[in-house]
Amino acid sequence: MINNRVEELCDLHTNLLNEDVQKIKEIVVNLPLIADLNKANVFIDCPTREGKHAIVVAEAAPTTANSVYKKPVVGKIAYEAFEPSVFFTLRTGKPMFLNRALTQEGKTVDQSVVPIKGSHNRVIGTLIMEKDISEQLISQNKMEALSEATETLSEILIGMTENKPIIPEVIEDALFFIDPSGKIIYSNPAATNLIEEIGERQSNIYYDLIHYFPSIKDILDNPEELIVEEVKIFGKIFQVKKIKLGQQEKPNGTFIILKNITELREKERELIVKSVAIREIHHRVKNNLQTVASLLRLQMRRGLPEESKVHFVESLNRISSIASVYEIILSSSSVDEVDIYSLIEKIGNMLVYEAEQDNKQIHMNYSGPQLLIHSSKAVSVALVINELIQNCVKHAFHHTSEGTIEVHFQQKDFEMVIDVIDNGVGYSLNAKPSLGLDIVRMMIEHDLSGQFKIERAEKGTIASVKFPIEKEAVHG
């Protein structure tokens, strides 16, 4: 039954030949004896078809000791990040003995790996033995902690006693451990590569750390136990972390971690430059719009035919509404987003103020969440709101000098819904088409990809706008 499972997994996941599978099956028969004899869990891993991973094709737990694993692992994929010794043996054909490892269930084990070879000395799999040493480590740590807790910590971390580093060899940051005099005791591969980048030979790695990086001398001389600073080293920017072990009067050594953040800082600088440029563009657009508005006002003061005055006022309001977008951007911390509540309120108050100049008392009510939208959409929304409120001011209150306009907006899923409601005379289906409503329809359909509806209410008119907003739009 077990051998059938082995054959099934090999056929499904590997490129092994029939003769290779037969050899694996012969070894599988003896796995229980090997497990009992060594008081350890034993496994057979074979390389998968694509060569990047391995598959566990067989296992045996000892009856003479507790099993390392609570759950079976046959059929599970083994990844190189978690099983470096297995992949070393698969690639080189060399055995690895008593290598300390951490299982996926969190137990520390001594792991030994030997190659299984087929014809022509090909590596067709690995025989793995894992012995649980977690309790042994706990007892050992407790005993050592009674004498020298901090010294034990440093020795475990760098594996000084057994030359078996627990620190991941794949860590991207350059990590050094130096003794109290500053001499390098340990360096991970990233640290070794960093030294080689500055032109030093690997064989000379055990100099004082300051020999390689003079610019971090002040950090090493600082008596503080924990320091994080940015330092320029050979034209690049590094974040330097210093972690001193032991007590002030009896230091055990110091960890120095160097992280290259040059690219990160360069991108931040580019973003700052871009933000300043965008803000400057917004500022110029706002100034240009205000200049055009000033020219229109100047023309109106110099005199206009009565029939032309209304068109100048409407154009002036449209320009002012667009300018409001850029005024809000420039007054906020965002470089390209607009608070829609502030935008609608600013436009509404501006139009009501002009209505008051014509002896009309119009009250504005606003309701809705604070929501940020992109400035490109905000310009279209500003024009739509301007036209709808202006339409109310112009047509809804012919027979009265007082009225109320309400603007409600809300987000439903990823759609924005805006309602402009007045308590005026009410919209007539026979009303003559206006330029304002044509602008609204054009903006909503073409720029906002939304829908527009205007209808008579029980008292007054309701104009509804609905358009999609980006998923990343956020509440303020």
Side-chain angles (χ1 to χ4, degrees), residues 10 67 73 140 189 199 209:
C10 288
S67 174
V73 296
Q140 178 184 337
L209 188 61

Side-chain angles (χ1 to χ4, degrees), residues 21 30-31 34 45 69 99 101 112 127 159 163 187 222 227 244 259 302 311 316 395 398 404 434 447:
V21 176
N30 296 310
L31 287 188
I34 298 172
D45 286 8
Y69 293 84
N99 183 62
S112 295
L127 178 63
N163 285 326
S187 61
N222 193 312
I227 296 177
K244 185 180 290 186
K259 182 181 181 69
R302 294 174 68 91
H311 301 302
L316 183 60
H395 301 293
H398 275 312
T404 300
S434 67
D447 290 1

Side-chain angles (χ1 to χ4, degrees), residues 49 109 113 124 132 142 179 186 212-213 255 267 286 301 344 362 377 402 447:
R49 188 170 286 111
V109 295
V113 186
I124 61 174
D132 186 0
K142 285 182 178 178
D179 66 15
Y186 168 83
Y212 302 107
F213 309 109
F255 279 111
K267 287 181 178 178
K286 187 204 74 168
R301 291 195 194 100
I344 291 174
I362 298 177
K377 262 189 181 169
E402 188 173 357
D447 290 1

Side-chain angles (χ1 to χ4, degrees), residues 155-171:
E155 290 180 355
I156 291 174
L157 285 173
I158 64 171
M160 291 169 62
T161 58
E162 299 178 28
N163 285 326
K164 293 184 232 176
I166 294 176
I167 297 169
E169 292 296 294
V170 295
I171 187 172

Side-chain angles (χ1 to χ4, degrees), residues 233-250:
I233 301 174
F234 306 113
K236 298 180 179 179
I237 301 173
F238 284 81
Q239 181 189 69
V240 182
K241 296 179 183 177
K242 183 184 87 169
I243 307 169
K244 185 180 290 186
L245 301 181
Q247 300 177 350
Q248 190 69 35
E249 60 276 8
K250 189 180 178 182

Side-chain angles (χ1 to χ4, degrees), residues 334-354:
S334 173
V335 297
D336 218 18
E337 290 180 319
V338 177
D339 177 10
I340 194 169
Y341 188 101
S342 300
L343 177 63
I344 291 174
E345 185 179 42
K346 190 176 186 68
I347 294 171
N349 292 347
M350 174 189 71
L351 295 173
V352 167
Y353 174 78
E354 291 185 358

Side-chain angles (χ1 to χ4, degrees), residues 141-160:
N141 290 345
K142 285 182 178 178
M143 290 297 294
E144 292 175 344
L146 292 174
S147 56
E148 288 291 345
T150 52
E151 183 175 352
T152 301
L153 174 63
S154 64
E155 290 180 355
I156 291 174
L157 285 173
I158 64 171
M160 291 169 62

Side-chain angles (χ1 to χ4, degrees), residues 154 157-158 167-168 171-192 194-195 205 207-231 233 238-245 252-260:
S154 64
L157 285 173
I158 64 171
I167 297 169
I171 187 172
E172 293 183 359
D173 299 344
L175 186 148
F176 298 92
F177 186 76
I178 60 175
D179 66 15
S181 68
K183 183 179 179 181
I184 300 171
I185 298 174
Y186 168 83
S187 61
N188 70 343
T192 304
L194 182 61
I195 288 176
I205 196 170
Y207 284 148
D208 289 348
L209 188 61
I210 294 178
H211 169 81
Y212 302 107
F213 309 109
S215 54
I216 68 170
K217 183 177 186 304
D218 291 342
I219 295 177
L220 296 181
D221 292 343
N222 193 312
E224 291 290 328
E225 295 178 352
L226 178 63
I227 296 177
V228 180
E229 289 187 11
E230 290 185 14
V231 176
I233 301 174
F238 284 81
Q239 181 189 69
V240 182
K241 296 179 183 177
K242 183 184 87 169
I243 307 169
K244 185 180 290 186
L245 301 181
N252 293 328
T254 304
F255 279 111
I256 301 296
I257 304 171
L258 301 179
K259 182 181 181 69
N260 189 343

